[in-house]
Amino acid sequence: MKLATFTHGGKTRIGAVVGDEIADLTAKGLPSSMLALLEGEEAAIAAARAAVDAAPRLALSAVRLEAPIARPPKILAVGLNYRAHAEECGMPIPVFPVIFNKQSTSASGPFDLVHRPRESVELDYEGELAVVIGKRCRRVPAAKARSVVAGYAVANDVSVRDWQIRVPTMTMGKSWDTHCPFGPWITTRDEIADPHALDLKTWVNGELRQNANTSDLIFNTDVIIEHLSTAFTLEPGDVIVTGTPSGVGLWMNPKGWIKDGDVVRIEIAGLGAIENRIVDEPEGTVRY
C-alpha cells in the first residue's frame, strides 16, 4: 500500500495511491493526518488497507501531494553510510553510525520548491532511502527492527555545505527550511521484500549524478534502528534518512552545486520518485 498525504479542494487528508488514482481514506473515517494514522500503529494500517476498495477515488493528477508527514516528530540522519561515498570523501569507513538531526521544519513535499539560502551558494543534494517508524519502540534488536517500520520513502537530504562543515555537529547545514523533501508516499513495508537491494538514482537537470544500490549501505536499516533505539524511544512518524551514495556535488570537479532553476529528481526502485525545483529563497520568509 502506498500511503499519501494530499490536498484537494482546499482540504488536506490521507489516501492510498492505486495506479493513477488516489483512494480518499479520510472520507472513509480514517484520520486526516498521516501522523495520527501512524500513531494507531499496525491496527490503523490494517484499517486503512481494509478501506481502500470502498474509498472514493480521485485522479492523482488532480491532487497535490504533500510531505507524507507534515511535521515528523524526529528526522534522524546517517552520514557517510555508503562505502563508495566514504571513499569519495577520503574518509575512513565509520566504525559506528554517524548520526545527526534534521529539524522537523525542514520537511517538505515531494514536488515542492527547495530554497537556495541567501547566505550560501554551496547548496547540494543527497538522494537517500527514508525509513518511517510505525511503532513506539525502544531497544529494538536488529533481528526485529523491520517489525517497527511502517514503510519506506524517497528523500533528499539537501545540504548547505559551508554551514555544514563550519562545526562538527552538521545540524545547521542540514536543517534549513524546505531541505528535506520526501515522498512521494510511504510504501508500506510489506511491499518491499528487501530494503537493502534497491536501486537509487539522482538526476540534476536530467544528468545522472548518483547511481547506486542500497546494498552498499555500511550500516543497514536494521542496524540503524537498533543503534538509535538503544539511546531513545522511536515514535510513529519518525523519519530516518539513511545516508547518500557517491556522486554528490561537493566532490565533483568543478563543484556541482545546485542553483536557481535546477531540477533534482531522485528515484528508488519500488518507492517512486520525487522531483524538486531549486529557487533562490523568496521574499516573505522573514517572520518575527
Side-chain angles (χ1 to χ4, degrees):
M1 187 165 52
K2 296 176 173 58
L3 290 169
T5 298
F6 71 98
T7 296
H8 180 264
K11 295 182 178 178
T12 299
R13 43 200 193 266
I14 64 169
V17 175
V18 182
D20 58 359
E21 295 182 321
I22 188 162
D24 185 347
L25 298 178
T26 301
K28 294 299 292 179
L30 279 91
S32 59
S33 87
M34 189 69 72
L35 186 56
L37 178 79
L38 294 175
E39 286 172 342
E41 301 190 353
E42 292 184 357
I45 298 291
R49 185 171 286 110
V52 171
D53 287 345
R57 303 286 181 94
L58 294 163
L60 198 54
S61 60
V63 309
R64 175 187 173 88
L65 289 176
E66 310 284 356
I69 305 163
R71 287 289 176 266
K74 295 187 282 294
I75 303 176
L76 300 156
V78 190
L80 289 177
N81 200 27
Y82 280 78
R83 293 182 188 280
H85 179 52
E87 290 168 1
E88 77 172 349
C89 297
M91 302 288 285
I93 302 298
V95 177
F96 300 103
V98 179
I99 303 297
F100 60 90
N101 287 86
K102 291 177 76 76
Q103 304 308 307
S104 64
T105 45
S106 68
S108 60
F111 305 105
D112 286 355
L113 299 175
V114 167
H115 295 172
R116 186 175 74 160
R118 302 164 190 170
E119 293 81 2
S120 174
V121 297
E122 296 187 3
L123 188 66
D124 211 347
Y125 53 86
E126 293 191 359
E128 306 201 9
L129 169 68
V131 177
V132 179
I133 297 298
K135 185 176 182 181
R136 187 175 174 85
C137 57
R138 176 83 197 280
R139 295 191 184 280
V140 184
K144 299 289 186 182
R146 294 186 206 179
S147 70
V148 305
V149 171
Y152 305 93
V154 183
N156 188 349
D157 174 16
V158 181
S159 304
V160 183
R161 295 300 189 194
D162 48 347
W163 282 64
Q164 175 188 337
I165 64 175
R166 283 178 180 177
V167 292
T169 66
M170 295 193 283
T171 299
M172 288 296 289
K174 294 285 193 175
S175 292
W176 294 65
D177 287 356
T178 76
H179 285 191
C180 191
F182 72 111
W185 39 69
I186 299 168
T187 300
T188 52
R189 72 170 191 264
D190 58 295
E191 291 200 5
I192 302 300
D194 184 357
H196 311 127
L198 303 176
D199 289 332
L200 185 159
K201 299 179 190 295
T202 301
W203 294 265
V204 177
N205 301 329
E207 175 191 357
L208 183 62
R209 297 276 186 94
Q210 294 182 296
N211 186 4
N213 188 281
T214 55
S215 61
D216 193 39
L217 283 166
I218 297 167
F219 303 103
N220 68 32
T221 63
D222 303 332
V223 172
I224 293 167
I225 289 170
E226 178 181 77
H227 181 72
L228 292 170
S229 70
T230 300
F232 47 79
T233 298
L234 294 175
E235 302 169 289
D238 284 349
V239 175
I240 305 169
V241 288
T242 55
T244 200
S246 62
V248 296
L250 172 63
W251 298 108
M252 294 176 66
N253 185 16
K255 306 295 187 189
W257 307 133
I258 46 178
K259 61 186 184 306
D260 184 77
D262 286 348
V263 175
V264 180
R265 178 181 175 84
I266 302 167
E267 180 177 321
I268 298 180
L271 304 184
I274 65 174
E275 186 170 295
N276 304 96
R277 179 175 294 277
I278 312 303
V279 297
D280 287 340
E281 185 178 335
E283 299 295 330
T285 58
V286 179
R287 302 182 185 91
Y288 55 87

